[in-house]
């Protein structure tokens, strides 16, 4: 599973249970600063399962409670908000985000075969635009994460949500069937994610990301230095070709599944890492 899941999982543990728990957790799993998860890498599912079971032992909370809380945290924490911004900025409600995620997850798999996010199916309600049924059939059976992520998606947009898991794979059903209804509420300004997404700063970042996508090749790839040289021909503002700014743009595109890189290959480092445009699905 992709590194963002592992990094946000450890952040969730730290923010909810404190640094002491994280130290105990890392020590019990034999994790050191050098082996701590990175967002650019992909890790085995077993590593996450071992981590969840250890966290359950240390916190004395059932694994499913932790997974649901984590799912909610995943949708509202600052790192996901930052890295998935290219995707998140395109939608403006919990329901639209859910509807966007089947294609968006599929696009991530096109960018890296090592990533196998869930491909949701939906049944839309003819009664209400706020209702939908989501069908989930990932072999990982992480329905508590999904439940939390739906709650987090609602929270992200200042909404509340009612969810009923009508059937569950863990109880022998062929798919988990979630019946969902979102409710809009009046929210204070602080909860509105759109504020940053409407800002000039984000618009400039978005335009830069689109230009990066345009100049990247579809195979072999460019290093950061090479990309910087190519962009200097298109951009007059030297601020926009600073490595930190370009890395941000590449990170946003990678987390939308639009760019692939050699990050997960043996011997990779930031200097030698190459980036190319991922094949485009129908998202
Ligand atoms: C409401 C929105 C979302 C829902 C309900 C959702 C749900 C899930 C679930 C349940 C998983 C666990 C894997 C599995 O079940 O097989 C997952 C994985 C993942 N999701 Fe989402 N997600 C949402 C939004 C996002 C967003 C905004 C991103 C931003 C990049 C994202 C990126 C990922 C990634 C990278 C994985 C790991 C996939 C892998 O490495 O195989 N998701 N998602």
């Amino acid at each position: 599973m992709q590194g963002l899941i592992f990094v946000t999982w450890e952040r969730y543990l730290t923010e909810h249970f404190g640094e002491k728990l994280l130290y105990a957790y890392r020590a019990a799993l034999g994790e050191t600063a050098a082996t701590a998860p990175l967002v650019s890498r992909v890790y085995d599912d077993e590593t996450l399962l071992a981590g969840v079971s250890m966290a359950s032992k240390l916190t004395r909370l059932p694994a499913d409670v932790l997974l649901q809380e984590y799912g909610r945290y995943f949708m509202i924490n600052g790192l996901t908000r930052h890295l998935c911004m290219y995707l998140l900025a395109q939608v403006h409600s919990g329901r639209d985000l859910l509807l966007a995620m089947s294609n968006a997850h599929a696009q991530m798999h096109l960018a890296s075969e090592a990533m196998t996010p869930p491909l949701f199916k939906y049944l839309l309600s003819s009664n209400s635009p706020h209702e939908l049924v989501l069908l989930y059939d990932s072999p990982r059976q992480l329905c508590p994460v999904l439940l939390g992520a739906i709650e987090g998606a609602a929270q992200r947009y200042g909404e509340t949500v009612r969810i009923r898991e009508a059937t569950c794979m863990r109880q022998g059903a062929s798919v988990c069937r979630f019946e969902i209804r979102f409710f809009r509420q009046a929210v204070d300004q602080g909860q509105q994610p759109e504020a940053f997404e409407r800002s000039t700063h984000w618009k400039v970042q978005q335009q830069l990301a689109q230009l990066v996508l345009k100049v990247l090749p579809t195979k072999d790839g460019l290093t950061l230095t090479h990309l910087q040289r190519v962009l200097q021909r298109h951009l007059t503002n030297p601020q926009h070709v600073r490595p930190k700014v370009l890395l941000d743009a590449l990170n946003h595109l990678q987390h939308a599944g639009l760019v692939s890189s050699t990050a997960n290959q043996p011997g990779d480092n930031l200097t030698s890492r190459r980036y190319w445009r991922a094949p485009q699905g129908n998202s």
Side-chain angles (χ1 to χ4, degrees), residues 1-5 42-43 45 74-75 80 83-84 87-88 94 97-98 101 105 108 114-118 120 134 136 138-143 145-147 149-150 152-153 255-256:
M1 212 164 340
Q2 215 253 359
L4 175 63
I5 302 291
V42 176
Y43 302 91
D45 284 10
F74 177 75
M75 292 309 306
T80 305
L83 289 174
C84 303
L87 236 168
L88 292 171
L97 181 56
L98 269 190
M101 279 327 290
H105 276 158
M108 290 173 203
M115 262 204 265
T116 52
F120 308 130
L134 187 152
Y136 167 79
S138 165
R140 293 178 179 131
Q141 304 197 342
L142 286 173
C143 33
V145 176
L146 174 57
L147 194 62
I150 299 170
H255 283 87

mmCIF file of all heavy atoms in Angstrom, residues 1-5 42-43 45 74-75 80 83-84 87-88 94 97-98 101 105 108 114-118 120 134 136 138-143 145-147 149-150 152-153 255-256, ligand 1:
data_model
loop_
_atom_site.group_PDB
_atom_site.id
_atom_site.type_symbol
_atom_site.label_atom_id
_atom_site.label_comp_id
_atom_site.label_asym_id
_atom_site.label_seq_id
_atom_site.Cartn_x
_atom_site.Cartn_y
_atom_site.Cartn_z
ATOM 1 N N MET A 1 0.831 -1.192 0.000
ATOM 2 C CA MET A 1 0.000 0.000 0.000
ATOM 3 C C MET A 1 0.877 1.258 0.000
ATOM 4 O O MET A 1 2.005 1.220 0.487
ATOM 5 C CB MET A 1 -0.936 -0.015 1.208
ATOM 6 C CG MET A 1 -2.195 0.656 0.839
ATOM 7 S SD MET A 1 -3.681 0.482 1.834
ATOM 8 C CE MET A 1 -3.593 -0.908 2.833
ATOM 9 N N GLN A 2 0.311 2.322 -0.548
ATOM 10 C CA GLN A 2 1.110 3.539 -0.761
ATOM 11 C C GLN A 2 1.543 4.211 0.552
ATOM 12 O O GLN A 2 0.806 4.162 1.548
ATOM 13 C CB GLN A 2 0.261 4.497 -1.607
ATOM 14 C CG GLN A 2 1.077 5.316 -2.575
ATOM 15 C CD GLN A 2 1.167 6.743 -2.111
ATOM 16 O OE1 GLN A 2 0.615 7.109 -1.095
ATOM 17 N NE2 GLN A 2 1.892 7.553 -2.864
ATOM 18 N N GLY A 3 2.738 4.819 0.517
ATOM 19 C CA GLY A 3 3.344 5.392 1.720
ATOM 20 C C GLY A 3 2.489 6.424 2.441
ATOM 21 O O GLY A 3 2.552 6.542 3.675
ATOM 22 N N LEU A 4 1.656 7.159 1.689
ATOM 23 C CA LEU A 4 0.808 8.182 2.330
ATOM 24 C C LEU A 4 -0.061 7.541 3.420
ATOM 25 O O LEU A 4 -0.291 8.130 4.475
ATOM 26 C CB LEU A 4 -0.074 8.859 1.264
ATOM 27 C CG LEU A 4 -1.102 9.870 1.782
ATOM 28 C CD1 LEU A 4 -0.431 11.046 2.463
ATOM 29 C CD2 LEU A 4 -1.989 10.371 0.632
ATOM 30 N N ILE A 5 -0.542 6.324 3.156
ATOM 31 C CA ILE A 5 -1.379 5.613 4.129
ATOM 32 C C ILE A 5 -0.557 5.353 5.408
ATOM 33 O O ILE A 5 -1.041 5.565 6.515
ATOM 34 C CB ILE A 5 -1.882 4.263 3.528
ATOM 35 C CG1 ILE A 5 -2.671 4.499 2.240
ATOM 36 C CG2 ILE A 5 -2.660 3.438 4.549
ATOM 37 C CD1 ILE A 5 -3.999 5.168 2.386
ATOM 38 N N VAL A 42 6.050 2.519 -1.697
ATOM 39 C CA VAL A 42 4.903 1.611 -1.554
ATOM 40 C C VAL A 42 5.338 0.484 -0.614
ATOM 41 O O VAL A 42 6.467 -0.007 -0.727
ATOM 42 C CB VAL A 42 4.493 1.036 -2.934
ATOM 43 C CG1 VAL A 42 3.366 0.018 -2.795
ATOM 44 C CG2 VAL A 42 4.055 2.158 -3.876
ATOM 45 N N TYR A 43 4.492 0.098 0.336
ATOM 46 C CA TYR A 43 4.843 -0.930 1.317
ATOM 47 C C TYR A 43 3.839 -2.081 1.260
ATOM 48 O O TYR A 43 2.725 -1.927 0.767
ATOM 49 C CB TYR A 43 4.852 -0.334 2.737
ATOM 50 C CG TYR A 43 5.818 0.822 2.874
ATOM 51 C CD1 TYR A 43 5.404 2.133 2.643
ATOM 52 C CD2 TYR A 43 7.148 0.606 3.212
ATOM 53 C CE1 TYR A 43 6.289 3.203 2.751
ATOM 54 C CE2 TYR A 43 8.046 1.665 3.332
ATOM 55 C CZ TYR A 43 7.605 2.960 3.098
ATOM 56 O OH TYR A 43 8.482 4.012 3.200
ATOM 57 N N ASP A 45 1.043 -4.747 2.349
ATOM 58 C CA ASP A 45 -0.158 -4.655 3.189
ATOM 59 C C ASP A 45 0.106 -5.252 4.574
ATOM 60 O O ASP A 45 -0.420 -4.767 5.578
ATOM 61 C CB ASP A 45 -1.314 -5.445 2.554
ATOM 62 C CG ASP A 45 -1.916 -4.692 1.378
ATOM 63 O OD1 ASP A 45 -1.326 -3.681 0.947
ATOM 64 O OD2 ASP A 45 -2.966 -5.133 0.886
ATOM 65 N N PHE A 74 -7.716 10.380 7.972
ATOM 66 C CA PHE A 74 -7.073 10.423 6.649
ATOM 67 C C PHE A 74 -7.670 11.530 5.775
ATOM 68 O O PHE A 74 -6.973 12.198 5.027
ATOM 69 C CB PHE A 74 -7.224 9.067 5.932
ATOM 70 C CG PHE A 74 -6.638 9.065 4.543
ATOM 71 C CD1 PHE A 74 -5.273 9.019 4.356
ATOM 72 C CD2 PHE A 74 -7.457 9.155 3.419
ATOM 73 C CE1 PHE A 74 -4.713 9.057 3.077
ATOM 74 C CE2 PHE A 74 -6.909 9.193 2.139
ATOM 75 C CZ PHE A 74 -5.533 9.140 1.969
ATOM 76 N N MET A 75 -8.994 11.726 5.897
ATOM 77 C CA MET A 75 -9.649 12.689 5.031
ATOM 78 C C MET A 75 -9.471 14.134 5.473
ATOM 79 O O MET A 75 -9.668 15.045 4.679
ATOM 80 C CB MET A 75 -11.157 12.393 4.956
ATOM 81 C CG MET A 75 -11.504 11.109 4.241
ATOM 82 S SD MET A 75 -10.753 10.952 2.633
ATOM 83 C CE MET A 75 -11.285 12.434 1.883
ATOM 84 N N THR A 80 -2.724 14.885 3.932
ATOM 85 C CA THR A 80 -3.581 14.455 2.808
ATOM 86 C C THR A 80 -4.096 15.689 2.077
ATOM 87 O O THR A 80 -4.107 15.732 0.840
ATOM 88 C CB THR A 80 -4.795 13.625 3.319
ATOM 89 O OG1 THR A 80 -4.311 12.539 4.096
ATOM 90 C CG2 THR A 80 -5.641 13.118 2.182
ATOM 91 N N LEU A 83 -1.095 16.931 -0.026
ATOM 92 C CA LEU A 83 -0.626 16.086 -1.131
ATOM 93 C C LEU A 83 -1.727 15.758 -2.135
ATOM 94 O O LEU A 83 -1.460 15.593 -3.321
ATOM 95 C CB LEU A 83 -0.011 14.794 -0.579
ATOM 96 C CG LEU A 83 1.329 14.984 0.129
ATOM 97 C CD1 LEU A 83 1.799 13.684 0.765
ATOM 98 C CD2 LEU A 83 2.400 15.508 -0.829
ATOM 99 N N CYS A 84 -2.968 15.650 -1.658
ATOM 100 C CA CYS A 84 -4.067 15.284 -2.568
ATOM 101 C C CYS A 84 -4.810 16.519 -3.069
ATOM 102 O O CYS A 84 -5.931 16.410 -3.584
ATOM 103 C CB CYS A 84 -5.030 14.318 -1.884
ATOM 104 S SG CYS A 84 -4.225 12.822 -1.302
ATOM 105 N N LEU A 87 -6.439 16.811 -6.551
ATOM 106 C CA LEU A 87 -7.695 16.057 -6.635
ATOM 107 C C LEU A 87 -8.811 16.722 -5.828
ATOM 108 O O LEU A 87 -9.924 16.920 -6.327
ATOM 109 C CB LEU A 87 -7.411 14.707 -5.978
ATOM 110 C CG LEU A 87 -7.642 13.440 -6.736
ATOM 111 C CD1 LEU A 87 -7.017 12.292 -5.999
ATOM 112 C CD2 LEU A 87 -9.099 13.254 -6.904
ATOM 113 N N LEU A 88 -8.484 17.066 -4.590
ATOM 114 C CA LEU A 88 -9.501 17.598 -3.678
ATOM 115 C C LEU A 88 -10.059 18.935 -4.161
ATOM 116 O O LEU A 88 -11.229 19.237 -3.936
ATOM 117 C CB LEU A 88 -8.918 17.756 -2.267
ATOM 118 C CG LEU A 88 -8.576 16.434 -1.558
ATOM 119 C CD1 LEU A 88 -7.799 16.682 -0.276
ATOM 120 C CD2 LEU A 88 -9.848 15.653 -1.255
ATOM 121 N N GLY A 94 -18.992 16.280 0.106
ATOM 122 C CA GLY A 94 -18.630 14.907 0.464
ATOM 123 C C GLY A 94 -19.112 13.923 -0.590
ATOM 124 O O GLY A 94 -18.384 13.004 -0.973
ATOM 125 N N LEU A 97 -17.003 14.051 -3.691
ATOM 126 C CA LEU A 97 -15.689 13.435 -3.483
ATOM 127 C C LEU A 97 -15.806 11.914 -3.582
ATOM 128 O O LEU A 97 -15.007 11.263 -4.268
ATOM 129 C CB LEU A 97 -15.112 13.847 -2.117
ATOM 130 C CG LEU A 97 -13.716 13.277 -1.813
ATOM 131 C CD1 LEU A 97 -12.712 13.650 -2.888
ATOM 132 C CD2 LEU A 97 -13.203 13.749 -0.463
ATOM 133 N N LEU A 98 -16.841 11.373 -2.933
ATOM 134 C CA LEU A 98 -17.041 9.912 -3.021
ATOM 135 C C LEU A 98 -17.206 9.483 -4.477
ATOM 136 O O LEU A 98 -16.613 8.500 -4.909
ATOM 137 C CB LEU A 98 -18.305 9.510 -2.274
ATOM 138 C CG LEU A 98 -18.195 9.144 -0.812
ATOM 139 C CD1 LEU A 98 -19.509 8.555 -0.340
ATOM 140 C CD2 LEU A 98 -17.094 8.133 -0.596
ATOM 141 N N MET A 101 -14.009 9.338 -6.411
ATOM 142 C CA MET A 101 -12.904 8.501 -5.979
ATOM 143 C C MET A 101 -12.753 7.187 -6.716
ATOM 144 O O MET A 101 -11.672 6.607 -6.699
ATOM 145 C CB MET A 101 -12.962 8.245 -4.467
ATOM 146 C CG MET A 101 -12.415 9.358 -3.609
ATOM 147 S SD MET A 101 -11.048 10.314 -4.271
ATOM 148 C CE MET A 101 -9.695 9.144 -4.226
ATOM 149 N N HIS A 105 -9.081 6.753 -7.802
ATOM 150 C CA HIS A 105 -8.318 5.588 -7.337
ATOM 151 C C HIS A 105 -7.829 4.766 -8.533
ATOM 152 O O HIS A 105 -6.707 4.261 -8.527
ATOM 153 C CB HIS A 105 -9.184 4.707 -6.427
ATOM 154 C CG HIS A 105 -9.228 5.143 -4.980
ATOM 155 N ND1 HIS A 105 -10.244 4.798 -4.128
ATOM 156 C CD2 HIS A 105 -8.371 5.865 -4.217
ATOM 157 C CE1 HIS A 105 -10.017 5.282 -2.910
ATOM 158 N NE2 HIS A 105 -8.883 5.951 -2.949
ATOM 159 N N MET A 108 -4.786 6.214 -9.976
ATOM 160 C CA MET A 108 -3.584 5.946 -9.161
ATOM 161 C C MET A 108 -2.983 4.594 -9.528
ATOM 162 O O MET A 108 -1.773 4.426 -9.561
ATOM 163 C CB MET A 108 -3.931 5.954 -7.666
ATOM 164 C CG MET A 108 -4.266 7.326 -7.138
ATOM 165 S SD MET A 108 -4.873 7.202 -5.428
ATOM 166 C CE MET A 108 -5.795 8.721 -5.340
ATOM 167 N N ALA A 114 1.761 -1.072 -8.367
ATOM 168 C CA ALA A 114 1.908 -1.513 -6.975
ATOM 169 C C ALA A 114 0.782 -0.963 -6.106
ATOM 170 O O ALA A 114 0.567 -1.423 -4.997
ATOM 171 C CB ALA A 114 3.254 -1.053 -6.429
ATOM 172 N N MET A 115 0.084 0.040 -6.616
ATOM 173 C CA MET A 115 -1.026 0.629 -5.860
ATOM 174 C C MET A 115 -2.329 0.011 -6.328
ATOM 175 O O MET A 115 -2.606 -0.005 -7.534
ATOM 176 C CB MET A 115 -1.089 2.132 -6.138
ATOM 177 C CG MET A 115 -0.417 2.946 -5.085
ATOM 178 S SD MET A 115 -1.140 4.561 -5.133
ATOM 179 C CE MET A 115 0.007 5.389 -6.155
ATOM 180 N N THR A 116 -3.114 -0.482 -5.376
ATOM 181 C CA THR A 116 -4.388 -1.105 -5.748
ATOM 182 C C THR A 116 -5.512 -0.557 -4.873
ATOM 183 O O THR A 116 -6.102 -1.281 -4.064
ATOM 184 C CB THR A 116 -4.297 -2.642 -5.592
ATOM 185 O OG1 THR A 116 -3.804 -2.918 -4.263
ATOM 186 C CG2 THR A 116 -3.391 -3.273 -6.609
ATOM 187 N N PRO A 117 -5.810 0.734 -5.030
ATOM 188 C CA PRO A 117 -6.880 1.323 -4.211
ATOM 189 C C PRO A 117 -8.239 0.762 -4.620
ATOM 190 O O PRO A 117 -8.381 0.213 -5.712
ATOM 191 C CB PRO A 117 -6.816 2.831 -4.529
ATOM 192 C CG PRO A 117 -5.642 3.028 -5.389
ATOM 193 C CD PRO A 117 -5.275 1.701 -5.982
ATOM 194 N N PRO A 118 -9.231 0.884 -3.744
ATOM 195 C CA PRO A 118 -10.544 0.314 -4.051
ATOM 196 C C PRO A 118 -11.253 1.052 -5.187
ATOM 197 O O PRO A 118 -11.160 2.276 -5.272
ATOM 198 C CB PRO A 118 -11.319 0.496 -2.733
ATOM 199 C CG PRO A 118 -10.621 1.603 -2.021
ATOM 200 C CD PRO A 118 -9.196 1.554 -2.434
ATOM 201 N N PHE A 120 -14.719 1.858 -6.306
ATOM 202 C CA PHE A 120 -16.108 1.810 -5.828
ATOM 203 C C PHE A 120 -17.079 1.739 -6.997
ATOM 204 O O PHE A 120 -16.807 2.233 -8.078
ATOM 205 C CB PHE A 120 -16.433 3.078 -5.032
ATOM 206 C CG PHE A 120 -15.460 3.382 -3.931
ATOM 207 C CD1 PHE A 120 -14.899 4.648 -3.809
ATOM 208 C CD2 PHE A 120 -15.094 2.417 -3.013
ATOM 209 C CE1 PHE A 120 -14.002 4.938 -2.801
ATOM 210 C CE2 PHE A 120 -14.206 2.694 -1.994
ATOM 211 C CZ PHE A 120 -13.653 3.960 -1.891
ATOM 212 N N LEU A 134 -23.018 2.986 -2.044
ATOM 213 C CA LEU A 134 -21.645 2.715 -2.493
ATOM 214 C C LEU A 134 -21.367 1.231 -2.291
ATOM 215 O O LEU A 134 -21.632 0.692 -1.215
ATOM 216 C CB LEU A 134 -20.684 3.564 -1.665
ATOM 217 C CG LEU A 134 -19.215 3.550 -2.089
ATOM 218 C CD1 LEU A 134 -18.564 4.863 -1.691
ATOM 219 C CD2 LEU A 134 -18.448 2.426 -1.447
ATOM 220 N N TYR A 136 -18.500 -1.644 -2.168
ATOM 221 C CA TYR A 136 -17.057 -1.757 -1.915
ATOM 222 C C TYR A 136 -16.697 -3.236 -1.893
ATOM 223 O O TYR A 136 -17.315 -4.012 -1.157
ATOM 224 C CB TYR A 136 -16.766 -1.102 -0.562
ATOM 225 C CG TYR A 136 -15.403 -1.388 0.025
ATOM 226 C CD1 TYR A 136 -14.261 -0.717 -0.417
ATOM 227 C CD2 TYR A 136 -15.249 -2.313 1.061
ATOM 228 C CE1 TYR A 136 -13.016 -0.969 0.161
ATOM 229 C CE2 TYR A 136 -14.012 -2.563 1.638
ATOM 230 C CZ TYR A 136 -12.899 -1.890 1.174
ATOM 231 O OH TYR A 136 -11.666 -2.133 1.740
ATOM 232 N N SER A 138 -13.071 -4.455 -1.976
ATOM 233 C CA SER A 138 -11.626 -4.655 -1.938
ATOM 234 C C SER A 138 -11.279 -5.945 -1.191
ATOM 235 O O SER A 138 -11.868 -6.234 -0.142
ATOM 236 C CB SER A 138 -10.966 -3.476 -1.233
ATOM 237 O OG SER A 138 -9.638 -3.815 -0.894
ATOM 238 N N PRO A 139 -10.308 -6.737 -1.722
ATOM 239 C CA PRO A 139 -9.894 -7.956 -1.004
ATOM 240 C C PRO A 139 -9.299 -7.640 0.370
ATOM 241 O O PRO A 139 -9.201 -8.498 1.229
ATOM 242 C CB PRO A 139 -8.828 -8.569 -1.934
ATOM 243 C CG PRO A 139 -8.444 -7.485 -2.879
ATOM 244 C CD PRO A 139 -9.597 -6.533 -2.963
ATOM 245 N N ARG A 140 -8.944 -6.390 0.598
ATOM 246 C CA ARG A 140 -8.376 -6.036 1.916
ATOM 247 C C ARG A 140 -9.448 -5.965 3.005
ATOM 248 O O ARG A 140 -9.136 -5.943 4.176
ATOM 249 C CB ARG A 140 -7.689 -4.673 1.833
ATOM 250 C CG ARG A 140 -6.464 -4.686 0.965
ATOM 251 C CD ARG A 140 -5.869 -3.288 0.909
ATOM 252 N NE ARG A 140 -4.685 -3.256 0.113
ATOM 253 C CZ ARG A 140 -4.455 -2.379 -0.846
ATOM 254 N NH1 ARG A 140 -5.349 -1.461 -1.136
ATOM 255 N NH2 ARG A 140 -3.332 -2.426 -1.527
ATOM 256 N N GLN A 141 -10.681 -5.848 2.563
ATOM 257 C CA GLN A 141 -11.828 -5.773 3.490
ATOM 258 C C GLN A 141 -11.607 -4.715 4.574
ATOM 259 O O GLN A 141 -11.790 -4.968 5.763
ATOM 260 C CB GLN A 141 -12.104 -7.141 4.099
ATOM 261 C CG GLN A 141 -12.339 -8.199 3.034
ATOM 262 C CD GLN A 141 -13.014 -9.455 3.557
ATOM 263 O OE1 GLN A 141 -13.030 -9.712 4.740
ATOM 264 N NE2 GLN A 141 -13.570 -10.237 2.653
ATOM 265 N N LEU A 142 -11.213 -3.520 4.120
ATOM 266 C CA LEU A 142 -10.976 -2.435 5.079
ATOM 267 C C LEU A 142 -12.220 -1.556 5.205
ATOM 268 O O LEU A 142 -12.135 -0.329 5.148
ATOM 269 C CB LEU A 142 -9.757 -1.609 4.640
ATOM 270 C CG LEU A 142 -8.397 -2.287 4.858
ATOM 271 C CD1 LEU A 142 -7.266 -1.478 4.231
ATOM 272 C CD2 LEU A 142 -8.139 -2.495 6.345
ATOM 273 N N CYS A 143 -13.390 -2.216 5.396
ATOM 274 C CA CYS A 143 -14.615 -1.413 5.457
ATOM 275 C C CYS A 143 -14.639 -0.422 6.626
ATOM 276 O O CYS A 143 -15.218 0.655 6.476
ATOM 277 C CB CYS A 143 -15.872 -2.259 5.360
ATOM 278 S SG CYS A 143 -15.733 -3.863 6.101
ATOM 279 N N VAL A 145 -12.153 1.439 7.521
ATOM 280 C CA VAL A 145 -11.447 2.621 6.993
ATOM 281 C C VAL A 145 -12.387 3.392 6.069
ATOM 282 O O VAL A 145 -12.483 4.620 6.128
ATOM 283 C CB VAL A 145 -10.162 2.225 6.207
ATOM 284 C CG1 VAL A 145 -9.509 3.442 5.581
ATOM 285 C CG2 VAL A 145 -9.183 1.498 7.113
ATOM 286 N N LEU A 146 -13.116 2.649 5.233
ATOM 287 C CA LEU A 146 -14.045 3.283 4.304
ATOM 288 C C LEU A 146 -15.116 4.071 5.072
ATOM 289 O O LEU A 146 -15.395 5.233 4.748
ATOM 290 C CB LEU A 146 -14.683 2.208 3.416
ATOM 291 C CG LEU A 146 -15.788 2.668 2.478
ATOM 292 C CD1 LEU A 146 -15.305 3.772 1.568
ATOM 293 C CD2 LEU A 146 -16.299 1.516 1.648
ATOM 294 N N LEU A 147 -15.668 3.450 6.100
ATOM 295 C CA LEU A 147 -16.693 4.107 6.915
ATOM 296 C C LEU A 147 -16.146 5.432 7.472
ATOM 297 O O LEU A 147 -16.783 6.486 7.357
ATOM 298 C CB LEU A 147 -17.058 3.155 8.065
ATOM 299 C CG LEU A 147 -18.301 3.431 8.876
ATOM 300 C CD1 LEU A 147 -19.530 3.376 7.994
ATOM 301 C CD2 LEU A 147 -18.440 2.378 9.981
ATOM 302 N N ALA A 149 -13.602 7.135 6.350
ATOM 303 C CA ALA A 149 -13.267 8.069 5.265
ATOM 304 C C ALA A 149 -14.523 8.795 4.771
ATOM 305 O O ALA A 149 -14.466 9.981 4.432
ATOM 306 C CB ALA A 149 -12.583 7.331 4.114
ATOM 307 N N ILE A 150 -15.658 8.095 4.765
ATOM 308 C CA ILE A 150 -16.912 8.765 4.346
ATOM 309 C C ILE A 150 -17.283 9.832 5.379
ATOM 310 O O ILE A 150 -17.650 10.958 5.036
ATOM 311 C CB ILE A 150 -18.061 7.734 4.169
ATOM 312 C CG1 ILE A 150 -17.696 6.720 3.090
ATOM 313 C CG2 ILE A 150 -19.366 8.439 3.807
ATOM 314 C CD1 ILE A 150 -18.648 5.519 3.003
ATOM 315 N N GLY A 152 -15.193 11.367 7.309
ATOM 316 C CA GLY A 152 -14.200 12.438 7.149
ATOM 317 C C GLY A 152 -14.497 13.295 5.933
ATOM 318 O O GLY A 152 -14.302 14.512 5.951
ATOM 319 N N ALA A 153 -14.984 12.659 4.844
ATOM 320 C CA ALA A 153 -15.312 13.417 3.618
ATOM 321 C C ALA A 153 -16.420 14.413 3.940
ATOM 322 O O ALA A 153 -16.377 15.579 3.530
ATOM 323 C CB ALA A 153 -15.738 12.465 2.508
ATOM 324 N N HIS A 255 0.107 12.231 -6.450
ATOM 325 C CA HIS A 255 -0.985 11.797 -5.582
ATOM 326 C C HIS A 255 -2.344 11.890 -6.268
ATOM 327 O O HIS A 255 -3.355 11.466 -5.698
ATOM 328 C CB HIS A 255 -0.951 12.551 -4.245
ATOM 329 C CG HIS A 255 0.131 12.002 -3.354
ATOM 330 N ND1 HIS A 255 1.423 12.462 -3.417
ATOM 331 C CD2 HIS A 255 0.131 10.995 -2.458
ATOM 332 C CE1 HIS A 255 2.157 11.767 -2.561
ATOM 333 N NE2 HIS A 255 1.397 10.877 -1.967
ATOM 334 N N ALA A 256 -2.370 12.418 -7.478
ATOM 335 C CA ALA A 256 -3.609 12.336 -8.274
ATOM 336 C C ALA A 256 -3.459 11.200 -9.290
ATOM 337 O O ALA A 256 -4.332 11.006 -10.136
ATOM 338 C CB ALA A 256 -3.870 13.663 -8.968
HETATM 339 C C1 LIG B 1 -14.158 9.924 0.279
HETATM 340 C C2 LIG B 1 -13.020 9.718 -0.297
HETATM 341 C C3 LIG B 1 -12.193 8.466 -0.142
HETATM 342 C C4 LIG B 1 -12.545 7.227 0.282
HETATM 343 C C5 LIG B 1 -13.908 6.757 0.757
HETATM 344 C C6 LIG B 1 -11.356 6.388 0.213
HETATM 345 C C7 LIG B 1 -11.285 5.066 0.608
HETATM 346 C C8 LIG B 1 -10.150 4.305 0.623
HETATM 347 C C9 LIG B 1 -10.008 3.006 1.260
HETATM 348 C C10 LIG B 1 -11.115 2.259 2.017
HETATM 349 C C11 LIG B 1 -8.735 2.584 1.067
HETATM 350 C C12 LIG B 1 -8.089 1.301 1.629
HETATM 351 C C13 LIG B 1 -7.615 0.322 0.580
HETATM 352 C C14 LIG B 1 -8.640 -0.745 0.220
HETATM 353 O O1 LIG B 1 -9.761 -0.736 0.746
HETATM 354 O O2 LIG B 1 -8.310 -1.611 -0.624
HETATM 355 C C15 LIG B 1 -8.068 3.623 0.283
HETATM 356 C C16 LIG B 1 -6.774 3.568 -0.140
HETATM 357 C C17 LIG B 1 -6.100 4.619 -0.701
HETATM 358 N N1 LIG B 1 -6.600 5.868 -0.989
HETATM 359 FE FE1 LIG B 1 -8.495 6.461 -0.802
HETATM 360 N N2 LIG B 1 -10.326 7.145 -0.278
HETATM 361 C C18 LIG B 1 -10.788 8.420 -0.475
HETATM 362 C C19 LIG B 1 -10.070 9.509 -0.890
HETATM 363 C C20 LIG B 1 -8.744 9.479 -1.192
HETATM 364 C C21 LIG B 1 -7.988 10.664 -1.522
HETATM 365 C C22 LIG B 1 -8.496 12.092 -1.554
HETATM 366 C C23 LIG B 1 -6.739 10.228 -1.799
HETATM 367 C C24 LIG B 1 -5.636 11.180 -2.193
HETATM 368 C C25 LIG B 1 -4.547 10.900 -2.759
HETATM 369 C C26 LIG B 1 -6.716 8.786 -1.633
HETATM 370 C C27 LIG B 1 -5.635 7.976 -1.812
HETATM 371 C C28 LIG B 1 -5.577 6.642 -1.473
HETATM 372 C C29 LIG B 1 -4.373 5.848 -1.561
HETATM 373 C C30 LIG B 1 -3.021 6.311 -2.082
HETATM 374 C C31 LIG B 1 -4.697 4.582 -1.080
HETATM 375 C C32 LIG B 1 -3.749 3.373 -0.942
HETATM 376 C C33 LIG B 1 -3.914 2.507 -2.139
HETATM 377 C C34 LIG B 1 -2.809 1.495 -2.359
HETATM 378 O O3 LIG B 1 -1.643 1.822 -2.151
HETATM 379 O O4 LIG B 1 -3.129 0.370 -2.790
HETATM 380 N N3 LIG B 1 -7.961 8.373 -1.279
HETATM 381 N N4 LIG B 1 -8.939 4.649 0.045
#
